[in-house]
Structure formats: C-alpha cells, structure tokens
C-alpha cells in the first residue's frame, strides 16, 4: 500500500544519480556556459544595460517604461528595487553556483583525465568572469566557492573586494596552462581558450591598475607585431571593420571570446531569456520598418531600443566606422525614400547598426523569428585588447611614436584607413569610443577612467554612487548582507 | 351519566398544491381522541362532533386547521413547507435525513435547475447557495467559471478549486464541464470542514457532490425539454468615432509639442465602428434533452441524450461550441441482499474559440476596442487596395482588410483575424463512469464497492496561414498543428457501513478504504510548417513538407496517487441530540517520507430544542436545530517531487558551441532548487456554528458563521539569489477566513396563487496572517498589467492579493502647483509635470516619487455575494426570476493598451483635463505621457465591481392535464425566458463578472478586465414535454 505512493520521478534525474559520467560533466559545464550567455527574460543583456547607461545611447523602445530596467538605467533613476541589478546579480551567482557544483562533483567522476582538467579550467575561467563582473558592478559581494546548505543560506557575509580579485586571479592562473590554445571553430567555437583567459586576466589586472601585469597578459594575446597575426593563437584584426558584424562571420581571427547564439533553438515568448537567439538584434531594430525598395537594408522590424544620441552620431559621422555602427533611418526614410519606420520613444533616427536584425538572418526553424537571430556578441575582441595593452603601456609610461603602445593604438586606426595620431589619453579614449561603440564597453571605460560622473552627469549619474549598482533589496532582506555606502548602506 | 354527543362523519380527499394525492396524512378532530390517516387514494373518513376543528398534519407540509361546518365532504390541499425536513441529503459516502445533519451543507435540487439554460454546472450553482462565489471567466460558449467556496483557502489558482465528486468519482475542476445539467438529480455543497473532512487531503477548498438521476420503479417516464433562442451583447462601449478620435489625437500630439496629424478631423465622420463588426446581435443558442427512465422491483434505468449548440456573440464565425451527452444509469437487484449497477456519462464537445478571451495582446475584442476608427474595415477603393501587400488578408471578394498604420503591434483587423482562423477547432471526449455493488448480508450491514474512472481525450486542429496583419504581426510561414492528449484517472473504494437503532439511539458506523490515481495525461502535438494551403479546409498532413519543417512534441504527466482510510460514526438520540465524528488518513505521492501521511479528523454536534418537551409550543418557531462543528482538511496541490533533490534540464541551461550551420545546441543539466523532505500538507481547520429553523410555518432560515484557518500554505518564498539556486517549496504562510451566511426561504399559497422566495447572502473576510519571517508582503501570484508591472500584492494582516499602486493626489491645475509640490527637503517632487498632470501622492514622505510610494488601492475579490429566486404561479401560469450579485470588489479596467499611444479611447476621455476643462477627474492626455498619468498604476484604473444581475427571468404556461392526457401526455409546458436581461452596475466595461482565467494572467485574481468576452443576453423559447 505504501509502495503504491512511490511514483517514479521519470525525467526528474535525482541528484544522487547524476555526475557519474563524462557526458554528465559536459552537460553540467554547458549549464555554466549558459549563464555566461544568459539574457534577461525582459529582453536585455549586459551589453544593453551598459549601452543604455552610457552617453552614446538612449534607452528608446516603445514608451517611457518599455523594458523599464533599461529606461531607469538610462535616466539613472534605478534603485535597489527597480533596475537591471537583479539580473546582473542573479546571472552571476547562478553561474557561480553551477560552477561550484561542477567543481565539487567532477573529481569523483571517472573520465578522461585531460578532458576533466580542461572542463575544470573552463569552469574556473567562467567563474572568474562571473566574479569579475560582480565585483565591478557591486564591489562588496559574497565570495562563495562551495554550495550553501539551505539551512545556512541567511548566514552569508560579504568579502573584501581584494579577496574576490585574489580568487579571480587564482582561477585564471590555474586555468590558463590547461586551456587549449585554439579550438576547432566549426564544432567547439565559443569554448574558452588560453587566449581568452589571458585577455581576461589582462583586463582584471588593468582594473586593478596593475599596468605591467596587465600589459604582459595582453602582449601574449596581441602577439609580437601589432597588426600582424599572433603566431601562437592566430589572432589578427579583420581587414574590413564591417565584417565583424556579419552574423555568419563567427569566430573570426579578431574574436577572442564570444557569446554564442543560434537561430535554431526555437526560443519562444514563454521564456524569451532561454532562447539561444540574440535578443539585442530584435530590440535594436527600428519599429514598423518596411523596405520600400531594394537599396534599403533588409532590416527586420524591431523594438527601437538603444538608439544613438545625436551627439554621438555627429561625433562618429566622419569616421570610416560610421556606417557599420550607425543606421540613419531618417536619412533612409526622408532623403533616400527607400524605407519607412515608426519612430519610437526617445527617437533620434540613429540606430545601432552593429546588431540590428536582418531579414536574411531570420531563423528557418519554427516561426518565432523575433527571438532567434544568430548573431554572436564579442565579450573580448582583438581591437579591444590592442587598445587595452596600449592603455596599460601608456600608464606605465610608454606612449612615444614608434613604441609598441603607439603601434598597437595606430594598428586599430590603420585597419579602418585612418592615419596614425599621437597616443595620449584623450586620443585613446576617443578611439575606444569609436571603435567599440555600442558594444557595452563605454560605461565600464568611463568608470575605470574615473570620468563617468563628468560625462554622465547630465543623465543623472551621481559621482560616488552610480559607479556601482545597488545590491538588490531582495538580497538584503533577512540576510547579513549590507548595502554599499554608495547606495546609503554601511559597507 | 355520560353525555353522548351527536357525531357526524366527514369525508374528503387530501392533495398537495400540484394536485397529487397525499396518502398518510394525519387527520385529527381536536378535543376528541379521534384520529385517522388518509388511505392510498388520499381519502379519509372521520367522525367529529359538531363545530369541531380538524387538524391535517403531514411531515413536510404545513399543518392546517379547518373548522367543520355543515358539510360532509371536506377536501383539503396541503402546502409543502420549504426544505422538507424529512428529505434526504447526500453527505460524503452516504445519505442522511436533513433534519439530523450536523454539518453545513447547502444543496440545489435538479428540479430547481429545470429550464435554466446554462450549460456548465458551475453556472447552475451561481447565486443558488450561500458560501459560493462563482464568476464566469469568459462569455465564450463552454467556458469554465471560477468557483470559490467560503473565500480563499490557499494561495494560487488550482488550490482554491473545490473538489467535484460525481456519483463518487473525483473530477478535476476543468473536467466537470462534461456533465449535462438535465441529468443532475441534486448537488450538495459540503461547506464546513466537518462535512468535507471525509474527503481528506483534497477537501480544503470544499467539496461539491453531484448525484445524477436514477430510474424509479414504476411507470415508464419519457421526457423532452428543449429551448431555442438568440443572444446579443448586453452592452457596448462608447468609443470615439472618427472625428472625436482625430480631434483627441491632434490635441495629444500638440500637447507633446508635435504637429497635429489630422488637418480636418470633421472629414472622418463616424469612422469604423469595430465593435459592431465583431459583435453578433442574433447568435443562436439551443439545447435539447431527451430522457427515458423507469424500472421494476428488480431493475431501474435512466437514459438520456442531450445536445447543446451555442454560437458566441463575439466573432461568431470562430466562437462556437456544441456538446452531445449520453447517460446510462442502471441498477439491478437480483436478490434482496445484493444490488449492483453503473452510472455512465459520456460527452463529446467541439468548439472553436476566438483565441484569447481576456487578453490585450491580440484578443479580438481587445483589437476592436483599441483599433483607430480611421482605418476602414475593408478597402473598397481599388487604387488603395493596389498598395496593399500580396500577403495582406483579403475577404472572399478579394478586397484587402484595412490595416491600421497607427495602431500596430498585436492589434489586428478583427475581420482579417477571423478570416485566418476559420475552421480551427478543439474537441474532447469524456467518459466518467463507475460500476458498483452493494451487498447487505444482514440487515443494516452494507458493503459498498465502487470502481470509477474519468477518461478524457482532447485535442484540436489549428491552421495558421501566411498573413500580413501589420508590420509587427505577420506570420510568414503557414503552419498546421494537431494535438491529442489522453488522460485516464481511476479510483477504487470499498466502504462498510452498519446502521442500527437501539430504542431511541440511532447509530451508523462507517469504515472505508480508497485508492486514487490521476495526473497521467499523455499528449503529442505535431506541426507542419510551410504547407501550400491558404485555408483550414485546404490544409492537410498529407502535404509532404521538408522533414525539418515537421516538428513533434510530446508531454507526459506525472502520476498523482492517493490512498486513504476513513471511518465515521453518526449518532442521534431520538433525532434530538445529534453527533458525528470522523477521521480520514490520506497518503499522497506528492510528499516525502517525512510527511507522507496526513490525518484529517472532524466532529460535529447538533441539538433540536423544538423536540424538547420543555420547548414552548408556539407558532413562531416550528423547528430549530442548532449545530456546531470543527474539522481539519488538507491540500496537496503542489507540484510533484518537491521533496526529492533533482537535476533539471531546459532552455535556461543550454548553450551553443560551433559556427553557423555546424553549431550544436548542447543540453545542459544542473540541480533544481534544493529539496525539502519536510514538506507537508497545507491544513485548513474550520469551526462552524449554525442553525436551521422553520419559522411561522412558511419561512425557513439557515445561518452559519465560520472561521477557517489555513496553515502551512505551500509556497516558494524568495531566497537570496547569491545562493545560486532557485527558491524551493516550503510550508510558509497562514491565512484566515471568517464569514457569515444566510439562506432564507418563504413559501405561501393563497388559493390558486403560489409564491416562493429564496434568498441567500454570504459575507467573507479574508486575511493573510503569516508570511516568511521578516517579510511584510509577497508578490507571488500577483497580477501584472502591460508596462505597469505587478498590480496586486499580498500584505500580511490584509486580504490576499490586493491592488497595489500609486495614489493620485489630484491633478495639477497650474505650474505654481507643480513648483510648490515639494518634498520635505525642498526639492520639487515632479519637476517635469505640467498643469493637467497627475499629482502622485508622496506617501513615504521622502524626496522622490518611486515604487516606495505605492500603496494598497483596493480588493479585487468580492467580500459578499448573494442570490435571489422568486417563483410565482397562478393556475397554469408560472413565473421564475433569478438574480445574483457580488459586493466589495474592485475591477481593474484595463481595456486600453497603454503602450500604443494611438489606440482608441472610450468617450469618457473626451472629458480629460484641458486648460478649458480644469474640473476634470481624468488627467490630461498627451502623446508619450511624460508624467505617466496613464502609465503608472493609480486608482483611476479601478472601478467598483459590485453588481446585481438578473440571470434569468422565465414565464411559462402548462397545458391542463385534462387536455393533454387525451394524447397520453403527463406534462406539456411552454415558456419564454431571458438570460441577463439587465445588470445593475457602475462598471464602465462590458461585464463586471470577471473570473480568473489563464488569459487574465496568473495569480488567482478576479476582476482584471483586458477586454474580456462578456456574457450574452438571450431570449429563448422552450418546451417541456412528459409522457
């Protein structure tokens, strides 16, 4: 009679029966990667947040509260209850949890030793990525390296940021020797490589203003001769800047670490964040777009988010990177008369061309086109690491004409046909703004350079507060966590 | 000496008010020992002294005193007292005489439902009994209603649905729609825990027992009843016409500093009236029932066939429903000590639905409300038609349906949408049956065994053609889908009972055992993309599309099993002192070994003081029974396997590796939320005190007060996200309901005139008494609305799930007022506001208007419900009026899309604030709404949800028996009837009756109107024939 009540859990694999095989370990690793690419169900990701927050973009969309998390980011009206911080926080910590579970279980799994150590290295690199974002966004955060028993879940305290950086550096230095130099792009494109981990480590050092250490890591990634192929990893700037934004041109020679998307997961509205498609593509597209003749781009009608400010549009107007970066819809509609669109909220007419979805790339699987565009996002690409190494070297004192720093800096300009200019902080900042526009780097750069308050004041940015995000209120309820002093807390 | 008085003999016949003879009536000559009883033909004969008074008394009828005059023949008609105390009511696992029932049970008889044109059983109960609040979730034919017994019992949707038991077979709330109303003999609602506890773990939200009709030994009875009529919408919204719309849009855009788009609004005239295009003023509705019943000493049978066919009043071409029912109930009694039989109901229904019935994202009605009146419904000008895309939807004459250029997104020309959905349908087959045997080896000892099943097979075919509705909504691939699901639930019960009377001690003992299984739905859905068809009729799975364009998905349910032991003692002494005690033990597959079994006891007592010798004889209180009960019921309505640590897969764990065209989407696995092996039942304990009384012969009154408390409501409380795992199920919250219920009946006969009035009223008070420590509110099960986010919230010590938003502090009349609206530290709170904008109350007194200034704005759930039935008859004419209503509820009127600035408006917005209309209650309308007058949730969205609805009014005529008996008929009645003739309400939308529906968003929240399909008003003619 009692056994009658024991229902077989069927597809519900019990914890005790899992983590037994190499395939189990791989599936667990995949779940960690998933958090790296995790997009909010509310149709945004880290790039969208960073773009909305910076001076180059306005939130846009269909109205003043459409994707409200981006709106409040853009107007700096976010607080610990409202804003994108919950997404950033839980993305990081759920990734860390999955990484910690895998690291605690993998030792006991009988499997190929080399594969095991590679999985561990990938997991540690991903954990470092999660922590690096969390410590930059939230400063004082819990440092968790195991799994928390539910009975102790309210007892966790925050760690000093230095301890977090120590773990990040340790995870990366553990991982680097084990990771493969390259992976076959066709089948493993997107998995962490040695170069990706080193570029990350460089960024971590740069964030800590450890200039020589940062430059050393970037040098390995960038190769001996700026502008030429890195003989170890094969990295090389693409000859044509616009090719970076061809969704089919994945894992190109300039790509160091990519968030992979696919058109084939049939992601649906029930859980848009679970789609493998790229949601930036749909949200950046102009609303109500229709092509009147074939000279106009085949944009797929989108939701008109993250429009460029007129100020940025004029800043980039004469740069060779203008066209691949900015789509001027008013020009298409009113001058070329080749397309029509419906202005959205905050409309400027200038759209983020790097991401706008194209009809040609629409999925051929299923009918949920909006959520299944295949374009990848660059987490790190070579032009970025060129400029970062140049910055590190410059900070360490090297910037003269002909120096490596100067060569790196001007290699980025040369690729788009620009003449060399002097390397100084002002020029470097301009170059990063142009080269990496819309890619989610600008806001982090402004904060790192310490000029965010000055640049973003007109948007509502308050110096000494908005350099970090508020720790979500839900994390403070009943716990031992304290809000950062920037947000009125005690830490 | 003795004086012998002259005595005369009086003769006569006693009948009831329908003319039926009454055998067994006691006739007593007052002041003498003479008393007789009427014989089998209702006749009596008694000797009486002159001028004597005769008393006629019979259980269930009002006692009558008649002064004897000079006549020798005295025929008497007795009037039935209401709620016949001798009548038997169905209680869990048995029946009991109504006069000795100690629980709070309300009932509805099948005869009360005769000729009420409802097609779902929930509607049969609506307004009929106290304690039940029932609201239709949609006016689409065949739609289910939301049923709540004595308020809320738990959080969420499913856990508040009562348990339905039909002839002993447990049916889920969704599946109960299979039953044909004409087959219902009686419905009993077990309201208190003492009555319901015998259904243990599934009884917390109440139990509703349905008994179907059985044959009676004797004459064959053949009946037909049917009706036919037309339905229409009861109300239309006042929406802006073309000129008004263009004028309002102009002013909104000018206010936003933009150019006015319409140079001459007057040119647009009335424009397109989208409502009239989707509503049908003469949608037919019909129902036919045919039954044959009868039997002998050894066997009885009841067989019926019924057919209902209803066309909806909204988008009728794609809103239809029909159902055919067959019932076969039979019993066989081969020997005195054994009987067996079966009850079998089968139904098959076919429906086509408009799709979303209460949803602003593309519902037909929502599109009709929001589309601008400037867009023509059909493009008749060939020059304009030529500019339309080839894939724009066209009418049968090839003219494209107009596409709005102002109102886009999911809003589609409803005619175009209807065109693309023609033919799509869903279907179901239901079989609910049980076979039983009753063995009585010695008198009073019975073994009842029942094997029951509920089988359901359901599915549908849907075709979506390539269509261009607007630039946002344009399915560019055709798809054909077919889904099929089947469910087989079963239960087995063995019940042993023993009844015996020892003198005046009456005892019934019962012990039972049951096993139940449900939840094992299995389904598949197959979809073919890119088939070369443009209509449903052309579409077929015979088309061989590319393998990549054929997809199939399957679904598996999880068994939910329960096994139970239960026993009960019912005792009464002389029907004066009453007591019942019972206990049930349930084991459920949903709980871990720590708490797998739950015990559900209850006890109830009653006392009938009117039977006491010391109770003064009077004509005020004829009967009184005082009752009290306490019991515990359970709820296991949570997901399966919350007690086992499991590993999960799914989209939130997958990741892609590889280049375009060679990529692989890898399936990831990671732990689900931690398990909770201590998970246990939600427990609801309930105390009920009440009385049943008969007053002044003609009045019956039942009053119940109750207090029920649910502890350990299962929930997934928020946990810190830094743990990385998700929230897990815990027993966290408590909730309390208090209430009082009244049922009052009156029946009076004055000659040929009969009057019957039945009323009931229920008042509820709900309060959440416990949440996770440290939490003052939860947003679980909150309703959300477009960009407003959550619009309800549950606070501790407050009713469940109340509206939660900003309080409006009026409208700024001048720039000075804006500038003077300051925080305590002197900053202007709404620096960007302009005159005419909403002033949001700064409730927390800080220096910013933000989410912390939100507050409770009202309760979506009714706090009272009531119903009233009036029966009148005069000779062969009869009249029935029945109405019901609710009070204390607020409706969220969300008919307009907030995110489409060009959406049409109701005419009340013409009176919005403007510099020349400063006394307005609605804030100014400005394109983009910079102050968020309309895109922040303020009280302006809330309206009173109170209403009284005349649900049906009926007028009938029965042909005299003398006339119809010549052609062998026993009954011939014709009637006219109207449903929903009027509704008294202040609500500005279509229909204030808004139940919980999936479309209306999660959260078990009543009263959210996103453009809900309203209830129809109907006019019907009907016929009842009996042989």
């Amino acid at each position: 009679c009692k056994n009658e009540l024991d229902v077989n859990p069927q597809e519900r694999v019990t914890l005790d029966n899992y983590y037994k095989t190499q395939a189990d370990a791989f599936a667990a690793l995949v779940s960690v990667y998933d958090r790296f690419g995790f997009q909010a169900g509310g149709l945004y990701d880290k790039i969208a947040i960073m773009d909305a927050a910076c001076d180059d973009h306005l939130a846009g969309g269909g109205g003043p509260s459409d994707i409200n998390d981006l709106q409040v980011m853009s107007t700096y009206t976010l607080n610990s209850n409202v804003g994108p911080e919950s997404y950033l926080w839980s993305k990081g910590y759920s990734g860390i949890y999955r990484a910690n579970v895998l690291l605690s279980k993998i030792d006991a799994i009988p499997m190929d030793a080399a594969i095991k150590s590679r999985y561990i290295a990938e997991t540690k690199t991903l954990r470092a990525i999660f922590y690096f974002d969390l410590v930059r966004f939230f400063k004082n955060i819990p440092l968790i390296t195991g799994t928390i028993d539910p009975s102790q879940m309210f007892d966790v305290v925050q760690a000093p940021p230095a301890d977090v950086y120590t773990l990040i550096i340790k995870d990366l230095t553990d991982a680097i020797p084990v990771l493969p130099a390259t992976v076959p792009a066709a089948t493993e494109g997107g998995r962490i490589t040695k170069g990706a981990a080193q570029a990350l480590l460089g960024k971590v050092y740069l964030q800590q203003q450890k200039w020589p250490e940062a430059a050393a890591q970037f040098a390995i990634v960038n190769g001996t001769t700026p502008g030429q192929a890195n003989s170890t990893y094969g990295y090389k700037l693409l000859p044509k800047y616009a090719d970076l934004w061809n969704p089919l041109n994945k894992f190109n020679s300039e790509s160091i670490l990519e968030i992979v998307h696919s058109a084939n997961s049939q992601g649906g509205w029930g859980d848009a964040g679970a789609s493998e498609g790229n949601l930036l593509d749909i949200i950046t597209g102009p609303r109500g777009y229709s092509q009147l003749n074939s000279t106009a781009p085949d944009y797929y009608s989108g939701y008109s988010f993250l429009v460029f400010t007129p100020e940025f549009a004029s800043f980039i107007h004469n740069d060779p990177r203008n066209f691949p970066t900015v789509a001027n819809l008013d020009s298409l509609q009113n001058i070329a008369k080749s397309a029509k669109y419906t202005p959205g909220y905050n409309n400027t007419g200038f759209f983020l061309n790097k991401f706008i979805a194209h009809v040609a790339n629409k999925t051929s699987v299923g009918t949920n086109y909006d959520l299944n565009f295949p374009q990848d996002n660059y987490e790190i690409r070579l032009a970025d690491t060129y400029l970062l190494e140049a910055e590190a070297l410059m900070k360490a004192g090297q910037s003269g004409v002909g120096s490596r720093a100067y060569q790196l800096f001007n290699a980025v300009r040369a690729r788009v046909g620009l003449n060399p200019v002097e390397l100084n902080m002002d020029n470097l900042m301009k170059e990063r703004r142009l080269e990496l526009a819309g890619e989610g780097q600008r806001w982090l750069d402004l904060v790192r350079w310490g000029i965010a308050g000055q640049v973003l004041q007109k948007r509502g940015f308050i110096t000494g507060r908005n350099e970090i995000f508020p720790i979500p209120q839900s994390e403070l309820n009943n716990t031992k966590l304290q809000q950062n002093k920037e947000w009125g807390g005690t830490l | 000496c003795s004086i012998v008085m002259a005595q005369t003999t009086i003769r006569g016949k006693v009948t009831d008010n329908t003319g039926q003879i009454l055998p067994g009536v006691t006739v007593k000559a007052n002041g003498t020992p003479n008393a007789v009883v009427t014989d089998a033909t209702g006749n009596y004969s008694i000797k009486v002294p002159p001028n004597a008074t005769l008393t006629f008394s019979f259980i269930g009828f009002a006692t009558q005193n008649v002064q004897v005059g000079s006549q020798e023949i005295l025929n008497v008609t007795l009037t039935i007292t209401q709620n016949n105390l001798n009548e038997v009511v169905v209680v869990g696992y048995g029946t009991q005489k109504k006069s000795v029932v100690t629980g709070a049970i309300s009932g509805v008889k099948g005869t009360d439902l005769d000729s009420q044109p409802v097609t779902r059983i929930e509607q049969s109960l609506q307004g009929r009994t106290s304690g039940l609040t029932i609201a239709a979730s949609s006016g689409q034919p065949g739609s289910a209603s939301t049923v709540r017994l004595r308020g809320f019992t738990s959080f969420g949707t499913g856990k508040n649905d009562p348990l339905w038991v039909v002839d002993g077979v447990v049916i889920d709330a969704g599946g109960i729609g299979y039953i044909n109303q004409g087959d219902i003999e009686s419905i009993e609602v077990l309201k208190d825990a003492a009555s319901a506890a015998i259904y243990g773990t599934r009884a917390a939200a109440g139990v509703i027992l349905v008994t179907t009709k059985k044959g009676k030994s004797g004459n064959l009875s053949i009946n037909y009843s049917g009706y036919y009529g037309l339905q229409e919408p009861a109300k239309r919204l006042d929406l802006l016409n073309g000129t008004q719309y263009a004028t309002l849009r102009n002013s909104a855009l000018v206010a936003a500093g933009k150019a006015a788009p319409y140079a001459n609004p007057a040119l647009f005239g009335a424009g397109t009236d989208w409502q009239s295009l989707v509503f049908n003023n003469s949608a037919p509705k019909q129902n036919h029932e045919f039954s044959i019943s009868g039997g002998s000493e050894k066997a009885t049978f009841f067989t019926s066939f019924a057919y209902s066919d209803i066309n909806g009043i909204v988008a009728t071409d794609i809103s239809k429903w029909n159902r055919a029912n067959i019932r076969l109930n039979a019993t066989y009694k081969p020997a005195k000590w054994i009987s067996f039989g079966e009850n079998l109901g089968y139904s098959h229904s076919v429906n086509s639905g408009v799709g979303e019935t209460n949803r602003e994202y593309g519902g037909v009605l929502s599109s009709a409300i929001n589309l601008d009146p400037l867009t023509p419904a059909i493009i008749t000008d060939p020059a304009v038609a030529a500019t339309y895309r080839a894939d724009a939807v066209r009418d049968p004459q090839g003219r494209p349906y107009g596409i709005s250029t102002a109102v886009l997104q999911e809003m589609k020309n409803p005619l175009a949408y209807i065109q693309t959905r023609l033919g799509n349908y869903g279907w179901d087959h239901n079989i609910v049956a049980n076979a039983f045997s009753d063995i009585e080896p010695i008198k009073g000892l019975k073994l009842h065994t029942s094997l029951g099943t509920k089988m359901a097979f359901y599915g549908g075919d849907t075709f979506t053609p390539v269509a261009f509705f607007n630039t946002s909504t344009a399915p560019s691939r055709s798809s054909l889908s077919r889904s099929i699901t089947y469910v087989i639930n079963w239960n087995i019960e063995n019940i042993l009972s023993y009844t015996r009377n020892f003198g005046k001690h009456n005892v019934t003992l019962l012990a039972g055992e049951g096993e139940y299984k449900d939840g094992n739905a299995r389904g598949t859905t197959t979809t073919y993309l890119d088939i070369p068809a443009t209509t449903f009729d052309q579409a077929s799975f015979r088309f061989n599309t590319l393998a990549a364009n054929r997809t199939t998905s399957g679904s598996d349910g999880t068994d939910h099993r329960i096994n139970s032991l239960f026993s009960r003692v019912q005792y009464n002494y002389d029907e004066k002192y009453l007591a019942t005690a019972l206990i049930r033990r349930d084991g459920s597959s949903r709980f871990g070994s720590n708490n797998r079994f739950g015990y559900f006891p209850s006890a109830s007592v009653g006392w009938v003081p009117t039977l006491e010798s010391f109770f003064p004889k009077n004509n005020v209180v004829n009967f009184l029974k005082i009752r009290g009960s306490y019991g515990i019921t359970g709820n296991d309505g949570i997901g399966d396997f919350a007690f086992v640590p499991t590993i999960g897969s799914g989209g939130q764990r997958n990741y892609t590796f590889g280049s375009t065209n060679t990529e692989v989407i890898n399936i990831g696995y990671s732990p689900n939320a931690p398990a909770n092996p201590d998970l246990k039942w939600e427990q609801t304990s309930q105390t009920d005190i009440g009385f049943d009384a008969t007053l002044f012969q003609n009045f019956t009154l039942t009053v119940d007060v109750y207090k029920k408390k649910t502890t350990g409501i299962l929930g997934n409380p928020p946990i810190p996200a830094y743990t990385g795992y998700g929230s897990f199920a815990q027993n966290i919250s408590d909730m309390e309901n208090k209430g009082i219920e009244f049922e009052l009946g009156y029946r009076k006969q004055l000659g040929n005139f009969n009057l019957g009035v039945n009323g009931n009223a229920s008042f509820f008070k709900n309060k959440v008494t416990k949440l996770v420590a440290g939490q003052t509110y939860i947003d679980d099960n909150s309703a959300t609305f477009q960009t407003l986010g959550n619009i309800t919230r549950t606070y501790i010590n407050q009713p469940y799930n109340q509206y939660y938003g900003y309080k409006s502090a009026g409208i700024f009349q001048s720039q000075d007022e804006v500038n003077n609206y300051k925080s305590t530290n002197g900053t202007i709170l709404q620096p960007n506001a302009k005159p005419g904008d909403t002033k949001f109350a700064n409730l927390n007194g800080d220096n910013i208007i933000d989410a912390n200034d939100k507050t409770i704005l009202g309760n979506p759930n009714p706090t009272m419900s009531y119903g009233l039935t009036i029966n009148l008859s005069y000779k062969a004419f009869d009249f029935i009026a029945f109405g019901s209503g609710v009070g204390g509820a607020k409706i969220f009127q969300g008919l307009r899309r907030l995110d489409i600035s060009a959406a049409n408006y109701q005419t009340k917005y013409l009176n919005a604030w403007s510099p020349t209309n400063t006394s307005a209650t609605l804030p100014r309308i400005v394109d983009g709404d910079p102050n968020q007058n309309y895109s922040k949730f303020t009280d302006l969205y809330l309206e009173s949800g109170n209403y009284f609805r005349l649900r049906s009014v009926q007028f009938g005529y029965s042909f005299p028996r003398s006339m119809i008996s010549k052609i062998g008929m026993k009954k011939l009645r014709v009637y006219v009837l109207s449903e929903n003739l009027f509704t008294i309400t202040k609500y500005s939308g279509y229909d204030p009756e808004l139940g919980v529906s999936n479309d209306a968003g999660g959260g078990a929240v009543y009263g959210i109107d996103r453009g809900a399909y309203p209830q129809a008003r109907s006019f019907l003619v009907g016929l009842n024939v009996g042989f």
Side-chain angles (χ1 to χ4, degrees), chain B residues 126-427:
Chain B
Q126 193 168 25
R128 300 275 177 190
T129 74
S130 64
L132 279 175
T133 309
I134 296 174
S137 52
S138 158
Q140 176 145 286
S143 294
S145 297
T146 308
V147 180
R148 297 285 174 267
L149 181 61
R150 292 191 163 176
F152 285 88
T153 307
S154 184
F155 296 173
T157 314
K159 288 189 289 177
N160 281 305
D161 292 329
L163 181 76
W164 295 86
V165 182
V166 179
D167 292 329
V169 182
V170 171
I171 315 285
D172 57 284
I176 194 68
Y178 86 98
I179 203 161
N180 169 40
Q181 186 185 278
D183 294 344
I184 297 171
E185 174 71 31
S186 70
I187 307 173
E188 262 85 17
V189 183
L190 310 186
K191 298 193 289 191
D192 63 338
S195 310
I198 195 126
Y199 290 95
T201 171
R202 290 171 295 176
V207 179
I208 301 178
L209 305 177
V210 181
T211 309
T212 59
K213 286 179 178 161
K214 312 288 186 288
K216 290 184 182 72
S217 49
N219 287 344
L220 197 64
S221 168
I222 301 171
N223 285 289
Y224 164 82
S225 70
Y227 56 78
Y228 178 88
L230 299 174
Q231 310 159 90
E232 63 172 21
K235 183 178 178 184
R236 276 157 197 262
L237 297 183
D238 287 328
L239 295 171
L240 300 188
N241 67 25
T243 300
Q244 290 168 326
Y245 172 82
T247 310
L248 187 64
R249 283 294 296 152
N250 276 351
S251 71
L253 283 149
V254 169
K258 297 176 186 169
Y262 306 110
N264 187 357
L267 286 180
F268 296 110
T272 304
D273 178 3
W274 294 105
Q275 281 188 99
S276 69
L277 296 170
V278 302
F279 277 135
N280 183 349
N281 289 326
S282 53
K285 168 173 181 168
Q286 60 180 308
N287 183 68
H288 306 278
E289 288 171 15
F290 181 73
S291 69
I292 306 178
S293 67
S296 65
E297 292 290 306
K298 300 239 180 231
T300 65
F301 72 96
F302 176 88
T303 299
S304 75
F305 173 78
Y307 178 73
S308 282
D309 189 351
I310 307 180
N311 283 2
I313 53 164
V314 175
T316 306
D317 288 340
I318 56 167
S319 179
K320 296 177 177 183
W321 176 88
N322 67 59
R323 185 185 64 198
N325 286 74
I326 292 172
R327 174 159 295 279
L328 302 166
N329 289 355
T331 57
Y332 312 92
K333 198 172 169 70
K336 240 187 168 160
W337 56 274
I338 182 164
S339 65
F340 59 92
E342 83 283 330
N343 300 305
L344 187 151
Y346 164 78
S347 78
H348 172 48
S349 78
V350 176
N351 69 81
S352 47
V354 294
E356 289 152 333
T357 53
N358 185 10
R359 195 154 171 84
E360 66 277 38
Y361 299 119
V364 181
L365 208 48
S366 181
S367 290
I369 296 167
N370 282 286
L371 278 172
D372 61 87
L374 309 185
T375 302
I378 294 174
I379 304 297
T380 49
D381 178 351
V384 179
T387 66
Y388 271 62
R389 288 171 45 151
D391 52 357
V393 185
R394 286 171 161 76
D395 72 358
Q397 286 88 53
R399 300 172 302 184
Y401 290 109
I403 296 173
S404 173
T405 51
V407 181
L408 301 171
Q409 290 171 279
E410 300 86 354
M411 298 305 166
K412 303 174 273 279
N413 182 323
L415 298 181
Y417 175 73
I418 291 166
Q419 183 78 15
T420 59
R421 283 185 64 100
L422 289 176
N424 292 353
Y425 73 100
W427 52 268

Side-chain angles (χ1 to χ4, degrees), chain A residues 43-72:
Chain A
L43 307 183
Y44 63 87
D45 65 357
K46 185 173 82 173
I47 293 177
I49 300 167
M50 296 290 99
D51 283 356
C54 82
D55 54 330
D56 294 345
H57 300 268
L58 295 167
S65 53
D66 197 4
I67 312 189
N68 195 44
D69 289 348
L70 296 183
Q71 305 290 349
V72 297

